[in-house]
Amino acid sequence: MVKRNHNFERLEPNYLFKRMLDIAAKYKSVVDLSIGDTSLPIPQEVTEAMERKAQALGTLEGYTGYGMGQGNLELRELLAQKYGRSADEIFISDGAKSDVGRLQLLFGNQVSIAVQDPAYPVYVDTSLLMGQKEIVYLPCTRENNFFPELKKADLIYFCSPHNPTGYAATRDQLTELVEFAKKHNSIIIYDSAYAAFIQNPDCPGSIYEIPGADEVAIEVSSFSKTFGFTGVRLGWSIVPKQLKYADGRLVHPDYLRIATTFFNGASNIAQAGGVAAMQTDCSPLIAHYRENVRILREALKERFVVGGGDAPYLFAYFGGNSWQEFETLLERSGVLAIPGSGFGRSGEGFLRFSALAKRSTIEEAANRLHCYLSPTC
Ligand code: MLT
């Protein structure tokens, strides 16, 4: 018989968000603010571009097969322009989540990793599966205002705006991160999936706004939350040409090797949508989700809440054990959040609420939360 990858023993049997889906399925009238899934339709300009591409695929002249391994050049050029990078540093993918997993292959399992605690579970789960021995946790707490004390590791996963707390790091804090990585010869894997939600002008949307970041950072991002592509699937990674391993060799050619070996590129229909999305204003969608944040924040006003201002997540302090608070809230009000400790030990006491749900769901949740938190209700 074939042996199982022993690293599975290091994981919870179910991925956190799958657990949430399973719990939601057991309740009839659950108001689901758990997984950050978008609810607004994709802008028409974007769906029309995908429709045209789909129609073209049914014609002899318009048919295209495998694309360029790294992705549609027009899309890469548009992204390159946005980030002030070159198109050959951009790798189009089926989403930031898959990229986080694939990027691990660059470094193997003999590197230490540091991760914000709490964190999007994919960083730790993929590292454990990869067989990483050393995971250094960087607590993000009320005491340090959700920006962690940095600790030495080969790879530093850093998400800003941060999932799950919603905290966006300032320019000074990201400068500190880049300087730290330079000093300790670390590589930062920077997740900017929520950058479009930033309102604070002091919080950069990309790590490359920090001088010298291209010597130490890879950035991953996606169209999921900005344009409602959670189902379409389209993201990108930026691997700067000057980024080097410890022995001075370049990282970029290796990522090209991985991208073209493990992957045949994102769907050409999705990429046509991406080209249109890059030329479409996403601010009406973002404004709608911000109003959802306002409604939820109002309902949670009895609680300490971080996030919401620069991200579609509210991280609210309920005290006690997150899983117990989560269950009590669910039993008594039917509102499904995510226990903060599901994202890491430092999330204990918190619940995460997503503001990406439909407005009617948000309003219903706000009514229920209001009642749940009110002593007279
Ligand atoms: C979340 O709920 O944290 C995210 O939406 C899940 C994801 O992007 O994979």
Side-chain angles (χ1 to χ4, degrees):
M1 297 290 271
V2 180
K3 278 206 218 145
R4 186 185 194 218
N5 174 351
H6 63 92
N7 292 315
F8 278 108
E9 305 296 338
R10 306 170 74 199
L11 298 180
E12 290 284 340
N14 277 323
Y15 177 60
L16 178 65
F17 298 147
K18 168 77 170 69
R19 279 163 89 182
M20 294 298 119
L21 290 174
D22 292 347
I23 294 169
K26 286 194 204 136
Y27 286 80
K28 268 215 177 81
S29 67
V30 74
V31 179
D32 189 352
L33 303 186
S34 62
I35 303 175
D37 200 0
T38 44
S39 54
L40 284 179
I42 297 169
Q44 208 177 333
E45 302 89 306
V46 179
T47 53
E48 280 172 3
M50 291 195 277
E51 204 176 322
R52 280 194 300 278
K53 181 65 190 174
Q55 292 292 346
L57 290 174
T59 66
L60 204 52
E61 312 73 46
Y63 176 78
T64 52
Y66 293 125
M68 298 169 82
Q70 239 181 289
N72 174 319
L73 183 58
E74 191 182 359
L75 179 55
R76 285 190 287 126
E77 277 171 348
L78 288 164
L79 284 164
Q81 215 176 333
K82 171 179 153 113
Y83 287 98
R85 309 295 324 161
S86 72
D88 52 5
E89 295 178 311
I90 315 275
F91 295 79
I92 308 297
S93 72
D94 57 343
K97 185 179 191 174
S98 328
D99 276 354
V100 166
R102 272 191 289 264
L103 281 163
Q104 299 262 359
L105 296 167
L106 286 169
F107 309 102
N109 62 7
Q110 299 302 311
V111 291
S112 55
I113 74 153
V115 64
Q116 286 153 297
D117 173 19
Y120 180 43
V122 177
Y123 314 137
V124 171
D125 283 5
T126 55
S127 301
L128 291 175
L129 257 185
M130 186 75 192
Q132 307 291 11
K133 305 288 176 298
E134 197 186 341
I135 301 186
V136 180
Y137 291 92
L138 309 176
C140 300
T141 61
R142 283 173 85 167
E143 289 67 40
N144 59 23
N145 197 22
F146 302 95
F147 183 80
E149 182 193 334
L150 301 172
K151 293 181 197 153
K152 201 170 167 316
D154 296 317
L155 297 180
I156 305 174
Y157 284 90
F158 203 92
C159 178
S160 181
H162 179 220
N163 181 9
T165 67
Y167 178 78
T170 62
R171 189 171 301 277
D172 282 352
Q173 290 171 332
L174 292 182
T175 303
E176 182 186 330
L177 174 68
V178 167
E179 293 305 320
F180 184 91
K182 278 191 180 168
K183 181 166 171 206
H184 297 285
N185 299 316
S186 310
I187 289 183
I188 302 164
I189 304 207
Y190 189 80
D191 182 346
S192 64
Y194 299 94
F197 290 85
I198 293 177
Q199 300 191 84
N200 182 346
D202 196 30
C203 297
S206 164
I207 193 73
Y208 302 119
E209 287 182 39
I210 308 299
D214 49 5
E215 291 160 38
V216 288
I218 292 172
E219 181 160 328
V220 296
S221 200
S222 106
F223 287 103
S224 285
K225 315 293 161 154
T226 324
F227 281 99
F229 270 41
T230 51
V232 174
R233 310 302 310 149
L234 194 65
W236 61 93
S237 285
I238 305 174
V239 182
K241 284 273 182 82
Q242 53 270 66
L243 186 69
K244 290 186 181 131
Y245 297 106
D247 66 2
R249 287 208 261 178
L250 295 172
V251 174
H252 184 276
D254 284 356
Y255 197 59
L256 182 60
R257 183 73 166 92
I258 289 169
T260 49
T261 304
F262 279 77
F263 192 53
N264 261 334
S267 144
N268 44 21
I269 298 172
Q271 294 193 77
V275 170
M278 288 300 294
Q279 296 165 88
T280 302
D281 178 16
C282 67
S283 58
L285 290 90
I286 302 291
H288 179 96
Y289 293 130
R290 278 196 188 125
E291 175 62 9
N292 285 357
V293 164
R294 193 197 59 75
I295 296 168
L296 281 178
R297 191 187 277 280
E298 176 70 19
L300 286 164
K301 67 173 177 244
E302 305 301 325
R303 294 281 182 266
F304 167 81
V305 175
V306 61
D310 301 302
Y313 298 128
L314 294 157
F315 209 52
Y317 190 68
F318 278 64
N321 175 294
S322 286
W323 279 97
Q324 267 164 19
E325 294 291 342
F326 157 82
E327 269 168 33
T328 312
L329 176 66
L330 183 58
E331 291 292 339
R332 296 206 190 141
S333 73
V335 174
L336 186 76
I338 299 188
S341 59
F343 296 93
R345 194 177 292 175
S346 299
E348 189 60 282
F350 284 86
L351 296 180
R352 193 197 78 172
F353 297 86
S354 164
L356 293 168
K358 284 198 173 108
R359 177 65 50 80
S360 55
T361 306
I362 297 287
E363 282 169 347
E364 180 59 26
N367 285 339
R368 294 188 190 197
L369 282 167
H370 189 67
C371 182
Y372 179 78
L373 295 172
S374 145
T376 55
C377 192

